[in-house]
Amino acid sequence: MKHSFIDEYSDLDSLIHRLDPRVKLVTLVASLLFIISTRPTSFVTFVLYGILIFILIGLSKIPIGFIFKRSLVIIPFVLIIAIFIPFFKKGQVAGSYSFGSVHLTVTYEGLMVFWNVLVKAYLSILCMILLATSTKFSNLLKAFENMKCPKLMTMILSFMHRYIYVLVDEMMRMKRAKDSRTVGGKRWFHVKALSHMVGVLFIRAYERGERVYLAMCSRGFSGQIRTLQDFKLNKTDFCFLLTMAMLLIAIRTIRR
Amino acid sequence: MHIPDGFLTVNAWVPAWLISIGGIGYCLRKATLTLKDRMIPLMGVMSAFVFAAQMLNFPIAGGTSGHLLGGVLAVVLLGPYARAIVITVVLIVQCFIFQDGGLTTLGANILNMSIVGAMGGYLIYNPIRSVLGGQKGIIVGIAIAAWASVVLASCACAVELAISGTSPLRVVLPVMVVSHMLIGIGEAIITSFIIGFILKVRPDLIYKI
């Protein structure tokens, strides 16, 4: 099975792809901090941040439709948390509705908070998607490590990233086998069968973990993972960092 | 329940990050003591397992379906410290690869699901298991702990949203807790089925205290 949706565009060749992952990570964190600390009423600022993100997406040569599609998948999860906000904030009433015995009142203050969290969440999601689609996960992990993230954590992360595909494949195969053999039947039966499937998956995963460890031991693993490649910052990286810093600050200082 | 970026203000996400870093650092040290260098591949594969298990949809009432969260499941199988690491790793991957949950709020998500959910679940599971004893103790303990861990995590999430002023506590707490009390029932049923199965097939894999 293919899970190309994860790393599909990470080997394109563009300005964004060639940047040092550390630079991308720092820029991402800075952009997120700027976005989430913007006042909810500065609409122009949000628009400018949006334009900046779309320019970066354009530079990265990743199809914009792909990024939109990915961002739309996440929106429902954001809405689940946000949906009740406009109804419960006290303030000037914008409109009220009643469904049977339930009275819902939407206030301007509530709508403001709603807009605030939604726009910030969406812009941040776009930034994160750009990072995820323009950077290989292994490079990202190496960047974490270079930035003093505990090595234990990054090693576990890289193992997980390696085995996600294997185990998801395994689970899908088991699910397909179950689906093709069980048509109809009571819901309880299905829940139980699926639970047992997870149990089997756990045992297989656990045993695989042990086997992988033994295989590593027999190849001389001593608790340390060594890699050959190191990152080097070049001129483009510095220019990008400087430009982004200036743009972010410039957008913030525009008053409207 | 993954909180996206923008939902929390600085006075909520910065402390959450600090607590999470401290907590996970402690768990890493504790887990390394017991697992030594076996830990790296095992934790990696186990994280991938939790991730894969979360992708599986279980049919619930009507046409809807839900998925396992796996918090307490991992506690029983791996012990509380290793479990906190596994869930943290899953959350980091979900954040960076799938944009599920924000980066600034990642600390809060780790705090809710990995620390509050796991430790709460473990503290509930362990006494029940030792009082009732045997397989029955494990299953009953697991069901109650699985339910409680989901509810506890939603409480923590509600408190963080309230601190940020996103919505008042007296509103967000009941909404979150009541909805997760329902989600927790599903979690409890599925988790106890899975543990029941593993008890039958490989009882040696259940974590011994």
Side-chain angles (χ1 to χ4, degrees):
Chain A
M1 237 173 277
K2 282 208 181 90
H3 306 288
S4 59
F5 62 95
I6 295 178
D7 258 353
E8 196 173 352
Y9 291 104
S10 63
D11 48 5
L12 288 181
D13 185 35
S14 78
L15 175 70
I16 305 289
H17 285 77
R18 275 194 303 269
L19 285 172
D20 189 307
R22 287 173 296 178
V23 169
K24 281 194 256 191
L25 213 53
V26 170
T27 322
L28 170 85
V29 173
S31 317
L32 290 187
L33 291 181
F34 271 97
I35 289 170
I36 64 170
S37 61
T38 308
R39 274 179 306 131
T41 46
S42 10
F43 300 104
V44 181
T45 316
F46 284 123
V47 172
L48 289 175
Y49 281 134
I51 293 173
L52 178 62
I53 294 170
F54 279 110
I55 291 174
L56 291 178
I57 294 175
L59 283 175
S60 74
K61 294 183 192 162
I62 296 165
I64 195 105
F66 175 77
I67 292 192
F68 261 127
K69 238 186 271 164
R70 286 207 32 176
S71 67
L72 287 183
V73 175
I74 309 156
I75 289 300
F77 297 102
V78 178
L79 281 177
I80 287 174
I81 305 186
I83 198 69
F84 56 88
I85 291 171
F87 302 103
F88 294 116
K89 213 63 180 172
K90 281 217 175 96
Q92 204 188 344
V93 174
S96 61
Y97 314 91
S98 21
F99 303 101
S101 58
V102 185
H103 294 279
L104 292 176
T105 320
V106 177
T107 61
Y108 284 113
E109 278 78 0
L111 282 178
M112 201 45 148
V113 177
F114 186 65
W115 143 262
N116 177 38
V117 294
L118 273 196
V119 71
K120 286 176 180 175
Y122 191 67
L123 288 177
S124 313
I125 286 170
L126 285 179
C127 293
M128 294 289 290
I129 294 178
L130 181 60
L131 175 83
T133 45
S134 70
T135 320
K136 283 206 174 66
F137 194 68
S138 49
N139 283 341
L140 204 58
L141 286 182
K142 222 177 285 168
F144 283 148
E145 211 173 295
N146 273 327
M147 298 170 91
K148 302 283 171 255
C149 180
K151 201 155 184 200
L152 206 56
M153 209 68 193
T154 56
M155 281 195 285
I156 296 176
L157 272 166
S158 67
F159 267 98
M160 175 191 181
H161 183 247
R162 169 68 184 80
Y163 284 101
I164 278 181
Y165 303 93
V166 177
L167 291 187
V168 169
D169 270 353
E170 188 145 1
M171 191 209 63
M172 298 285 200
R173 278 200 301 273
M174 285 156 77
K175 174 96 167 72
R176 200 169 41 208
K178 179 204 156 276
D179 285 347
S180 54
R181 284 166 180 76
T182 52
V183 181
K186 290 237 167 59
R187 186 179 304 132
W188 272 116
F189 166 76
H190 285 286
V191 169
K192 220 169 168 173
L194 286 170
S195 309
H196 291 180
M197 217 174 94
V198 175
V200 172
L201 188 68
F202 167 77
I203 293 167
R204 288 189 188 170
Y206 192 94
E207 287 170 351
R208 187 186 289 274
E210 306 253 272
R211 281 200 307 278
V212 169
Y213 171 67
L214 291 177
M216 285 162 69
C217 282
S218 62
R219 285 162 182 77
F221 176 68
S222 59
Q224 282 285 317
I225 287 186
R226 299 174 179 83
T227 47
L228 292 173
Q229 193 194 342
D230 259 329
F231 294 131
K232 259 204 199 107
L233 292 171
N234 58 27
K235 249 187 242 154
T236 336
D237 292 322
F238 283 116
C239 290
F240 180 79
L241 211 54
L242 212 65
T243 323
M244 281 301 289
M246 275 172 9
L247 281 174
L248 285 173
I249 294 169
I251 290 175
R252 170 51 71 77
T253 44
I254 292 174
R255 293 232 165 238
R256 243 327 167 103
Chain B
M1 212 171 48
H2 294 55
I3 309 173
D5 281 314
F7 278 66
L8 298 183
T9 48
V10 176
N11 55 352
W13 66 260
V14 172
W17 258 114
L18 294 179
I19 300 172
S20 306
I21 292 175
I24 295 305
Y26 179 75
C27 291
L28 271 176
R29 208 153 345 116
K30 278 290 198 179
T32 322
L33 284 182
T34 46
L35 286 169
K36 310 227 165 53
D37 53 351
R38 235 177 90 221
M39 167 153 128
I40 295 162
L42 194 59
M43 294 290 99
V45 177
M46 284 294 102
S47 311
F49 158 72
V50 171
F51 187 91
Q54 286 187 348
M55 282 179 74
L56 195 62
N57 277 315
F58 284 82
I60 326 173
T64 55
S65 63
H67 71 79
L68 183 73
L69 303 167
V72 172
L73 178 66
V75 170
V76 186
L77 300 171
L78 304 168
Y81 302 116
R83 178 259 179 230
I85 299 166
V86 164
I87 302 291
T88 305
V89 169
V90 172
L91 287 172
I92 293 174
V93 167
Q94 281 174 337
C95 166
F96 274 96
I97 302 188
F98 302 97
Q99 293 78 46
D100 201 355
L103 182 58
T104 53
T105 51
L106 180 60
N109 287 329
I110 292 176
L111 178 65
N112 298 345
M113 283 176 255
S114 191
I115 297 178
V116 175
M119 292 305 159
Y122 178 70
L123 291 177
I124 293 167
Y125 161 71
N126 212 19
I128 297 178
R129 185 196 59 98
S130 44
V131 168
L132 288 178
Q135 290 210 355
K136 196 176 137 219
I138 293 181
I139 301 269
V140 173
I142 238 331
I144 296 171
W147 181 83
S149 79
V150 174
V151 175
L152 281 174
S154 76
C155 283
C157 177
V159 169
E160 282 151 13
L161 287 174
I163 290 174
S164 306
T166 309
S167 53
L169 190 64
R170 71 186 163 73
V171 176
V172 71
L173 190 66
V175 171
M176 287 294 265
V177 169
V178 170
S179 60
H180 283 87
M181 279 163 104
L182 296 176
I183 297 173
I185 296 174
E187 176 83 2
I189 294 173
I190 302 171
T191 308
S192 48
F193 272 153
I194 299 173
I195 294 299
F197 175 78
I198 294 175
L199 271 175
K200 253 185 259 165
V201 186
R202 283 289 300 270
D204 55 308
L205 290 187
I206 304 282
Y207 181 78
K208 311 271 182 329
I209 296 100

